[in-house]
Amino acid sequence: DGRVPIGTEPTNVMRRVDPATNTVVGFATVQGALLDSPVAVGDGAVWVEAGESVGRVDRVNPSTNEVVASVLSPEPFREVVRSVIDVVADGDHGWMIGTSYVARIDPDTNQVVATVTLPGAASGAVLIDGFLLVGSAGNTLYRIDTSTMMLDAVIDLGPGGPPARHL
C-alpha cells in the first residue's frame, strides 16, 4: 500500500510511515527486534529479523500490524547468536540470510523450505532477476539461483575496495 516499515527506538517497535503524508500510521511490536534489524516487504507481508538471541524472522501482517508467524533459522545454524543478518522478499517467498546460510521461507506455511550453505560469512543480500546476490566481508559475492536453490557462482570482487556488504 506504499507505506514503509521502519524500525526505531525503542527496540521491539516497528513504525509504519506513510510517505505521502510523512506521518506514522501504525505500530507493530516485534519481540527481539533491534533498532538495526533488517526489514523486507513482499508477498503481502513485512518480514523482520527478530532473533536477538536466536536466529528468527517474524512475519507481520501490514493490514493489522500484528506478528502472524515466527520462523526460526534452520536447525544446524540456530545455535549462533543473532544468526540472521538480513531478510529480503519477493512476490513468492521471504528469505532469511544467516551468517553462513540462506533459507527460503514459504509464506503459505511460514516454514523454511530450502537452504543453501555459504562458503563464507554473509553480510547482506539483494534479489535481482531470479538470483539472490549475497555479499561477503571478504570481497566475495555469492550468486544463488532462486529457482534451484543452488550456489551457482562465487565472484571474487578483487582487492582494493570495501567489503561487499549492505547490498
Side-chain angles (χ1 to χ4, degrees):
D1 68 358
R3 297 177 183 174
V4 181
I6 298 175
T8 61
E9 290 288 350
T11 57
N12 301 328
V13 175
M14 185 173 57
R15 288 166 173 73
R16 249 173 105 198
V17 175
D18 183 340
T21 62
N22 295 319
T23 58
V24 175
V25 294
F27 298 88
T29 300
V30 181
Q31 292 302 320
L34 301 173
L35 177 60
D36 62 347
S37 290
V39 175
V41 178
D43 194 46
V46 177
W47 303 88
V48 60
E49 182 271 327
E52 199 171 348
S53 61
V54 66
R56 189 181 89 227
V57 171
D58 281 357
R59 181 179 179 177
V60 177
N61 179 324
S63 298
T64 64
N65 296 321
E66 297 292 325
V67 173
V68 295
S70 293
V71 182
L72 291 176
S73 60
E75 186 62 49
F77 307 103
R78 204 169 291 161
E79 71 280 355
V80 179
V81 174
R82 194 113 190 255
S83 66
V84 178
I85 54 100
D86 204 357
V87 293
V88 294
D90 60 14
D92 299 316
H93 299 94
W95 302 85
M96 177 186 301
I97 314 322
T99 51
S100 61
Y101 67 91
V102 170
R104 181 170 61 200
I105 302 168
D106 181 337
D108 294 329
T109 63
N110 296 308
Q111 298 292 315
V112 170
V113 294
T115 59
V116 174
T117 301
L118 300 172
S123 61
V126 63
L127 279 163
I128 300 175
D129 296 331
F131 293 96
L132 185 62
L133 301 175
V134 181
S136 170
N139 278 353
T140 303
L141 191 64
Y142 306 117
R143 187 176 77 177
I144 297 168
D145 183 328
T146 60
S147 65
T148 63
M149 283 301 286
M150 299 292 295
L151 175 65
D152 72 351
V154 176
I155 303 161
D156 182 357
L157 300 177
R165 62 177 178 252
H166 308 294
L167 295 174

